Amino acid sequence: MAKKETTAPVTGPDNTGNEKKSRAGTCPSGFYIYIGPNIKKHIQTGTIYRGTRANALKQAAAAIEAHPLVKTLIVSGDALPEARIKVKTPGNALYANYMKLKLAGKEGK
């Protein structure tokens, strides 16, 4: 069978280049993950939250209340590869927030 040629490039589900979200507030990967340091009695590195960002923040509410910077280190699955590099690279907000939380965890705040 011959393959049919198309003139319009297919770049996204709607052919416009924009990825559509299946539900409001969810990333295409469908999960969020905490990439900050362990904070005893509050949150652990690598904690995964399924669903929306609002749901992830709701589940991590106790940790966010104790340490507001936790909120900045909960990233979508789609942003995870880049965010993991940024957390280890000085000179950006993710690194600065990670270091502040690490220090706060050691001090027992």
Side-chain angles (χ1 to χ4, degrees):
M1 282 195 134
K3 195 174 187 180
K4 186 178 177 181
E5 296 286 327
T6 60
T7 56
V10 178
T11 55
D14 61 351
N15 294 341
T16 62
N18 297 326
E19 292 289 329
K20 285 189 173 180
K21 295 181 179 181
S22 58
R23 289 175 278 170
T26 54
C27 64
S29 65
F31 72 94
Y32 290 82
I33 187 165
Y34 172 68
I35 59 169
N38 289 337
I39 301 174
K40 288 184 182 180
K41 300 181 184 178
H42 293 289
I43 196 165
Q44 186 175 14
T45 302
T47 303
I48 297 172
Y49 305 98
R50 297 222 176 261
T52 65
R53 179 161 176 80
N55 181 51
L57 297 178
K58 184 179 176 183
Q59 289 181 26
I64 293 170
E65 186 176 328
H67 302 278
L69 290 177
V70 166
K71 183 176 182 178
T72 65
L73 294 170
I74 295 176
V75 299
S76 70
D78 299 327
L80 182 60
E82 185 178 324
R84 289 180 67 197
I85 293 169
K86 284 185 175 183
V87 160
K88 297 175 185 176
T89 308
N92 63 72
L94 287 177
Y95 178 82
N97 292 344
Y98 182 96
M99 297 311 280
K100 287 176 188 176
L101 281 172
K102 188 174 180 180
L103 181 62
K106 286 184 178 181
E107 292 176 355
K109 288 185 178 179

